[in-house]
Amino acid sequence: MTEKQQEIFKSALKLFAKQGYQATSTRTISQEAGVSEGLIFRHFKNKEGLLKSILQEGQKKLKKMIQPIDNLTHPKVILKHVISLPFNITKDQKDFWRVFYSLRRQMNLDFIFFDQLIKKVKSAFKAMDFSDYISESEAFMMIWDGAMVYVLLNNPKNSYIIYENLLQKFDL
Amino acid sequence: MTEKQQEIFKSALKLFAKQGYQATSTRTISQEAGVSEGLIFRHFKNKEGLLKSILQEGQKKLKKMIQPIDNLTHPKVILKHVISLPFNITKDQKDFWRVFYSLRRQMNLDFIFFDQLIKKVKSAFKAMDFSDYISESEAFMMIWDGAMVYVLLNNPKNSYIIYENLLQKFDL
Amino acid sequence: MTEKQQEIFKSALKLFAKQGYQATSTRTISQEAGVSEGLIFRHFKNKEGLLKSILQEGQKKLKKMIQPIDNLTHPKVILKHVISLPFNITKDQKDFWRVFYSLRRQMNLDFIFFDQLIKKVKSAFKAMDFSDYISESEAFMMIWDGAMVYVLLNNPKNSYIIYENLLQKFDL
Amino acid sequence: MTEKQQEIFKSALKLFAKQGYQATSTRTISQEAGVSEGLIFRHFKNKEGLLKSILQEGQKKLKKMIQPIDNLTHPKVILKHVISLPFNITKDQKDFWRVFYSLRRQMNLDFIFFDQLIKKVKSAFKAMDFSDYISESEAFMMIWDGAMVYVLLNNPKNSYIIYENLLQKFDL
DNA sequence: GATGAATGAGCTTTCATTCAT
DNA sequence: GATGAATGAAAGCTCATTCAT
């Protein structure tokens, strides 16, 4: 990636996250990036190509985010770690998530990341001898999702209170 | 509302919910509605006017949805009722919610409905002598939101299991 | 076809014939037609759609051009009539032919018109007991083509001399 | 000419012949040539410069093609030779001709080559005491043109039959 | 000589909107 | 109320061309 290509990438990420993909014109992106409009198409072929590039890069980062969980074995520790994720999102990850979340109704984002997470959670609840571990996992992920949306929308500062509240609810 | 006006309204609601507001052209709406494109502007002035009309109609329906709660007094009953809302959304309400949720990052929807709900929840938790009733309310609404997103995205059939799971978590 | 649609059609035909399809911009067409550029796409969907429309209309006219031949029976009369076609092209047909001829290398114009003509010519030469009537027909059509190109390029005024020359060559 | 320059030249010739000059982008040429796009402009200054280079090279080859005719004296031999040209085009000359022919409506190719040919033909017919040798020459060249187009379009294998047919027609 | 990043003008196309009928 | 022809601005995209390396 050249410097300007990165500039485009960053500007697009920022704008897609703020205004949404459809509402952001390539012209606006190029201006924000301080770059000619044509360059977007040279580097990313399409507006959609630019989006895909962002989604891919996003998934890479997110995979790294959950890798540490693979080494954990104790179920409660795993769940604790998973539920902490929304509250520990770094600033540069937030925009990726915002793009993901704003598009998931329209596109069929194959969210490998998500599936992996669900598996981990399921096996954890299973190991904890939950009678209906599948439903419990589903509820858990649903709340996880709620937490994520909450963090992305509100930029809360004292979110750790909510976090601890959730730990209590799941007896972690 | 004339018949054709309703047709436009319904088509727009459906398409906005599926593809998003920005991604839906007035042309597509008119085709879906079996109506000339110009008629949209005669009845709703704008594309934005059409959206506003939908949002308003949505809010009306949603207000009706929470009116019964006003008559409730017992805190647990209130919370039980509130948390049940996402799982009792009727089919024709879903699309309104989808439009709401897809727009909340971009527009500043003054969600009177939402505020009312939060107040109710807060007073309920306060009445239940929660030490930090504000945080508890926030967590509650966050989960409520997660449930809503969950229902809107997945169209789950056995969602009552999740519902009962939540009741347990809040000891309701 | 509305008046403006016809205007677009006529301007496009003229410009495609003069400068070629690729070298003519939709902007130029709209200006020549005294019409907004968007209207082209409303009526013809595409620049290519506009071209197709022209090609179709062209074929219709050309079919009418050869219909009289169907009623002819005497071989020599048929051939005489066919070979006269290039020299009797009306002014408004010329541009159609120019567009046809400039595109036949690039597109696969299925020239029903042409095939029909060849059949007629073949059966005529067959009826005249030519030993190798197929080759003779091919040569005939090749010369026919040359005459057509000649007329389209040069706008000759005394072309009837050439015409009579050809009659002699084929002993018609 | 360096190797890469030749590669550009060859690719451009091929593509101009197949798709036309306007429809061929410098990018496509560079890709076909396996060369950077910028190199085209270093070697040929312009896209138009590249075209001119091709046209010049073409004319050179074509001049060589008719040089043998200069030494001929007998009218019939001359005409026989001229009419044979389209049927003896070598494979590597065809694309030059295709480019010539696709451009002759738009550009004013001063076809020195062509003029020379016409002169030769005229003097031949004059020497043969044709009453209207000018018209006869024009008809001859028209048919010559038809033959050329025929060969360029159809890639015929048994074209010598057509050739002999033409010889008969002109009593050669 | 050769590359490839970068540009800006101009292209095709879409879209919300207007207006005569 | 309803249509659909028409518009103009702006969108996405292509293209020939330049230039630093």
Side-chain angles (χ1 to χ4, degrees):
Chain A
M1 278 236 218
T2 72
E3 198 187 342
K4 299 222 171 185
Q5 191 170 2
Q6 274 180 319
E7 218 56 55
I8 293 170
F9 186 96
K10 275 159 52 186
S11 303
L13 174 56
K14 184 175 158 189
L15 291 165
F16 287 171
K18 206 204 285 183
Q19 320 174 344
Y21 170 70
Q22 309 274 358
T24 307
S25 73
T26 52
R27 181 144 234 261
T28 313
I29 296 170
S30 71
Q31 283 169 344
E32 171 86 19
V35 144
S36 76
E37 202 176 350
L39 196 58
I40 294 176
F41 298 90
R42 203 137 243 281
H43 282 311
F44 299 95
K45 196 191 174 198
N46 262 352
K47 191 186 170 189
E48 204 189 335
L50 177 52
L51 175 61
K52 277 184 187 163
S53 174
I54 285 177
L55 293 178
Q56 274 174 23
E57 186 64 21
Q59 291 227 7
K60 268 190 213 163
K61 288 210 173 186
L62 304 182
K63 270 180 199 164
K64 276 186 195 161
M65 190 175 157
I66 56 165
Q67 240 163 10
I69 300 175
D70 276 345
N71 303 324
L72 305 176
T73 49
H74 191 46
K76 287 206 173 185
V77 176
I78 290 175
L79 294 174
K80 221 169 152 177
H81 197 112
V82 171
I83 202 68
S84 78
L85 289 177
F87 301 97
N88 286 324
I89 288 189
T90 55
K91 222 182 165 188
D92 69 307
Q93 286 172 337
K94 272 192 183 173
D95 276 345
F96 282 110
W97 279 102
R98 289 192 177 113
V99 176
F100 278 133
Y101 271 63
S102 69
L103 289 172
R104 65 174 164 178
R105 287 224 85 246
Q106 303 173 45
M107 298 179 107
N108 242 18
L109 303 175
D110 38 10
F111 235 158
I112 312 167
F113 162 77
F114 222 74
D115 294 342
Q116 244 177 307
L117 215 55
I118 291 178
K119 267 186 198 164
K120 267 284 166 190
V121 168
K122 270 185 190 163
S123 63
F125 277 118
K126 195 174 184 183
M128 284 165 77
D129 282 332
F130 264 73
S131 59
D132 188 355
Y133 73 94
I134 292 182
S135 294
E136 185 69 17
S137 304
E138 216 161 330
F140 183 89
M141 286 309 295
M142 189 193 84
I143 291 175
W144 188 91
D145 220 46
M148 196 58 111
V149 170
Y150 173 77
V151 168
L152 294 178
L153 272 178
N154 304 321
N155 272 315
K157 291 193 174 171
N158 55 349
S159 62
Y160 75 99
I161 303 178
I162 307 287
Y163 169 53
E164 302 223 322
N165 189 311
L166 289 185
L167 290 186
Q168 259 188 347
K169 291 222 163 23
F170 282 99
D171 196 23
L172 298 171
Chain B
M1 278 232 223
T2 76
E3 198 189 342
K4 298 218 171 187
Q5 193 171 0
Q6 273 182 321
E7 217 56 56
I8 293 170
F9 186 94
K10 273 160 55 187
S11 303
L13 174 57
K14 185 176 159 189
L15 290 166
F16 288 171
K18 206 205 285 185
Q19 320 172 345
Y21 171 69
Q22 309 272 0
T24 306
S25 71
T26 51
R27 196 173 206 207
T28 316
I29 296 169
S30 71
Q31 284 168 345
E32 173 85 20
V35 144
S36 76
E37 205 175 347
L39 198 57
I40 294 176
F41 296 88
R42 169 155 269 276
H43 283 313
F44 299 95
K45 194 194 174 197
N46 261 350
K47 192 188 172 188
E48 206 188 335
L50 179 51
L51 176 62
K52 277 184 187 163
S53 173
I54 286 176
L55 293 179
Q56 276 172 23
E57 185 66 20
Q59 292 226 5
K60 268 189 215 166
K61 288 210 173 186
L62 304 181
K63 270 179 199 166
K64 276 185 195 161
M65 191 175 155
I66 56 165
Q67 242 163 8
I69 300 176
D70 277 344
N71 303 324
L72 305 176
T73 49
H74 191 46
K76 286 206 173 186
V77 175
I78 290 175
L79 294 175
K80 220 169 151 176
H81 198 110
V82 171
I83 202 67
S84 78
L85 291 176
F87 301 97
N88 285 326
I89 288 188
T90 55
K91 225 183 165 187
D92 68 307
Q93 286 172 337
K94 272 192 184 172
D95 276 344
F96 283 109
W97 280 101
R98 290 193 177 113
V99 176
F100 280 135
Y101 271 63
S102 70
L103 288 172
R104 64 173 164 180
R105 288 225 82 246
Q106 304 172 47
M107 299 178 106
N108 239 19
L109 300 176
D110 40 3
F111 234 156
I112 313 165
F113 161 79
F114 220 73
D115 293 343
Q116 242 176 310
L117 215 54
I118 291 178
K119 268 185 198 164
K120 268 284 167 189
V121 168
K122 270 186 191 163
S123 64
F125 276 119
K126 195 173 184 183
M128 284 166 76
D129 282 330
F130 265 74
S131 59
D132 188 355
Y133 72 94
I134 293 183
S135 294
E136 185 69 15
S137 303
E138 215 162 334
F140 184 88
M141 286 311 293
M142 188 194 85
I143 290 175
W144 188 90
D145 220 47
M148 196 57 113
V149 170
Y150 172 78
V151 167
L152 295 177
L153 270 178
N154 303 320
N155 273 315
K157 292 193 174 170
N158 54 349
S159 62
Y160 76 99
I161 303 179
I162 307 288
Y163 168 54
E164 303 221 323
N165 190 310
L166 288 185
L167 290 187
Q168 260 189 344
K169 292 228 160 21
F170 282 98
D171 197 23
L172 299 171
Chain C
M1 277 237 217
T2 71
E3 198 188 340
K4 300 221 170 186
Q5 192 171 2
Q6 273 180 320
E7 218 55 55
I8 293 170
F9 186 96
K10 274 159 53 187
S11 303
L13 174 57
K14 186 177 160 189
L15 290 165
F16 288 170
K18 206 205 285 182
Q19 321 174 344
Y21 170 69
Q22 310 273 358
T24 307
S25 73
T26 51
R27 179 144 236 261
T28 315
I29 296 169
S30 71
Q31 282 169 346
E32 172 85 20
V35 144
S36 76
E37 205 175 349
L39 196 57
I40 295 176
F41 297 89
R42 203 137 243 279
H43 282 312
F44 300 95
K45 195 189 175 201
N46 263 351
K47 192 186 170 188
E48 204 189 335
L50 177 52
L51 174 62
K52 278 183 186 165
S53 173
I54 286 176
L55 293 179
Q56 275 174 24
E57 186 64 21
Q59 291 229 6
K60 269 190 213 164
K61 288 210 171 184
L62 304 182
K63 270 180 200 166
K64 277 184 194 162
M65 190 175 157
I66 57 166
Q67 240 164 8
I69 300 176
D70 277 344
N71 303 324
L72 305 176
T73 49
H74 192 45
K76 286 206 174 186
V77 176
I78 289 176
L79 293 175
K80 220 170 153 179
H81 197 112
V82 171
I83 202 64
S84 78
L85 290 176
F87 301 98
N88 285 325
I89 288 189
T90 55
K91 223 184 168 188
D92 68 308
Q93 286 172 337
K94 271 193 184 172
D95 277 344
F96 283 109
W97 279 102
R98 290 193 177 113
V99 176
F100 279 133
Y101 270 63
S102 69
L103 288 173
R104 65 173 164 179
R105 288 225 83 245
Q106 304 172 46
M107 298 178 109
N108 242 19
L109 302 176
D110 38 9
F111 236 155
I112 311 166
F113 163 77
F114 221 76
D115 293 342
Q116 244 176 307
L117 215 55
I118 290 178
K119 268 187 198 164
K120 268 283 165 192
V121 169
K122 270 185 191 165
S123 64
F125 277 118
K126 196 174 184 182
M128 284 165 76
D129 283 332
F130 265 75
S131 59
D132 188 355
Y133 72 94
I134 292 183
S135 294
E136 185 70 15
S137 304
E138 218 161 331
F140 183 88
M141 285 311 294
M142 189 193 82
I143 290 174
W144 187 90
D145 220 47
M148 196 56 110
V149 170
Y150 172 78
V151 168
L152 294 178
L153 273 177
N154 304 320
N155 273 314
K157 292 191 175 173
N158 55 349
S159 62
Y160 75 99
I161 304 179
I162 306 289
Y163 168 55
E164 303 222 324
N165 189 312
L166 289 185
L167 291 186
Q168 262 190 343
K169 291 224 162 25
F170 283 98
D171 196 24
L172 298 171
Chain D
M1 278 234 219
T2 77
E3 197 187 343
K4 299 219 170 187
Q5 194 171 0
Q6 273 181 320
E7 216 56 54
I8 293 170
F9 185 95
K10 274 159 55 186
S11 303
L13 174 57
K14 185 176 160 189
L15 290 166
F16 288 170
K18 207 203 286 183
Q19 321 173 343
Y21 171 70
Q22 310 270 0
T24 307
S25 70
T26 51
R27 194 173 208 209
T28 316
I29 297 169
S30 70
Q31 282 169 346
E32 173 85 19
V35 144
S36 77
E37 205 174 347
L39 198 57
I40 294 176
F41 297 87
R42 169 155 268 274
H43 283 312
F44 299 94
K45 193 192 174 199
N46 261 350
K47 192 188 171 186
E48 206 188 335
L50 177 52
L51 175 62
K52 277 182 185 163
S53 173
I54 286 176
L55 293 179
Q56 276 173 24
E57 185 65 20
Q59 292 226 7
K60 267 190 215 164
K61 288 210 173 188
L62 304 182
K63 270 180 199 165
K64 276 185 196 162
M65 192 174 154
I66 57 165
Q67 241 163 8
I69 301 176
D70 276 345
N71 304 325
L72 304 176
T73 50
H74 190 47
K76 286 206 175 186
V77 176
I78 289 175
L79 294 174
K80 219 171 153 180
H81 198 110
V82 171
I83 203 65
S84 78
L85 290 177
F87 302 98
N88 286 325
I89 287 189
T90 54
K91 224 183 166 187
D92 68 307
Q93 287 172 337
K94 272 190 183 175
D95 276 345
F96 284 109
W97 279 102
R98 291 193 176 113
V99 177
F100 280 135
Y101 270 63
S102 70
L103 289 172
R104 64 173 165 179
R105 288 225 83 244
Q106 304 172 46
M107 298 177 108
N108 239 18
L109 299 176
D110 39 5
F111 236 156
I112 313 165
F113 161 78
F114 219 74
D115 292 343
Q116 243 177 306
L117 214 56
I118 291 179
K119 269 186 197 162
K120 269 282 166 192
V121 168
K122 271 187 188 162
S123 64
F125 277 118
K126 194 174 186 183
M128 284 164 76
D129 282 332
F130 264 75
S131 60
D132 187 355
Y133 72 94
I134 292 184
S135 293
E136 185 69 13
S137 304
E138 214 160 335
F140 183 88
M141 286 311 293
M142 188 193 83
I143 291 174
W144 188 90
D145 221 46
M148 196 55 114
V149 169
Y150 172 78
V151 168
L152 294 178
L153 270 178
N154 304 321
N155 274 313
K157 292 193 173 172
N158 55 350
S159 61
Y160 77 98
I161 303 179
I162 307 288
Y163 168 55
E164 303 222 323
N165 190 311
L166 289 185
L167 290 186
Q168 261 189 344
K169 293 228 159 23
F170 283 99
D171 196 23
L172 298 172

